[in-house]
Amino acid sequence: MSTSAQAQPGAADAPVSAVEKRLADLGLTLPEVAAPVAAYVPAVVSGSHVYTSGQLPFVNGKLPATGKVSAGTEGYADEPTVSPEDAQRFAAICAVNALAAVKSVIGDLDRITRIVKVVGFVSSDPSFTGQPGVINGASELLGRVLGDAGQHARSAVGVSVLPLDSPVEVELIAEFS
């Protein structure tokens, strides 16, 4: 993945976790946590779990694309569409943004002992059925940066529209010590 997000202010002064080093090896850095677009917080700790709000694929504060995910044979000519391959990359960006939200409440991503659950939403053309392949972008990224702790239960759901016309949204539950 060639898209890297903007680092948090002061991140150069903070110790970098092994998880962040693995992200860096992939050409990625943790972004600033996106400001909520409604009445919620990006992440909440309950016991030994972090629950993230749905994360959009913001890069430097902007969505890289909008529209419904389509294999190219569906949809209407006047609607913007996103290829499944691009949507898969955007799902990985959502996962990075979710990790930033986790870090914002637990301080160190090396504290993650397991990603328990990932829920991915794909703004889908009505005949598009490749939601699992799209959300693999998030699942594979989590596996690459967290190893066995990144293996998780998952749902991949097709929806008619997402906030800001985003093509994908990902939320996760992370267990930590």
Side-chain angles (χ1 to χ4, degrees):
M1 191 171 5
S2 62
T3 304
S4 83
Q6 185 176 352
Q8 291 185 359
D13 301 331
V16 176
S17 70
V19 172
E20 289 177 83
K21 287 179 184 172
R22 287 190 288 278
L23 282 167
D25 290 345
L26 296 171
L28 301 167
T29 57
L30 288 179
E32 291 186 40
V33 177
V37 296
Y40 61 90
V41 295
V44 172
V45 173
S46 180
S48 61
H49 292 87
V50 176
Y51 296 78
T52 71
S53 296
Q55 300 294 312
L56 301 180
F58 287 118
V59 175
N60 296 322
K62 298 183 191 284
L63 289 176
T66 59
K68 298 197 182 317
V69 179
S70 169
T73 57
E74 320 91 353
Y76 301 101
D78 62 340
E79 293 180 330
T81 59
V82 175
S83 73
E85 297 79 16
D86 285 345
Q88 188 178 59
R89 285 194 308 278
F90 300 151
I93 293 168
C94 292
V96 172
N97 292 345
L99 289 173
V102 170
K103 182 179 179 182
S104 76
V105 294
I106 67 169
D108 182 353
L109 293 179
D110 288 347
R111 294 180 65 195
I112 295 173
T113 57
R114 180 167 197 91
I115 300 297
V116 177
K117 175 90 183 218
V118 170
V119 180
F121 301 95
V122 181
S123 180
S124 303
D125 180 88
S127 60
F128 180 72
T129 59
Q131 292 84 5
V134 168
I135 301 306
N136 276 349
S139 294
E140 292 169 0
L141 181 279
L142 292 167
R144 282 194 298 273
V145 300
L146 293 164
D148 289 342
Q151 301 303 308
H152 53 268
R154 185 183 88 180
S155 298
V157 182
V159 297
S160 61
V161 69
L162 287 167
L164 306 176
D165 201 22
S166 176
V168 293
E169 180 175 354
V170 171
E171 64 182 51
L172 60 82
I173 301 169
E175 185 176 29
F176 69 98
S177 59

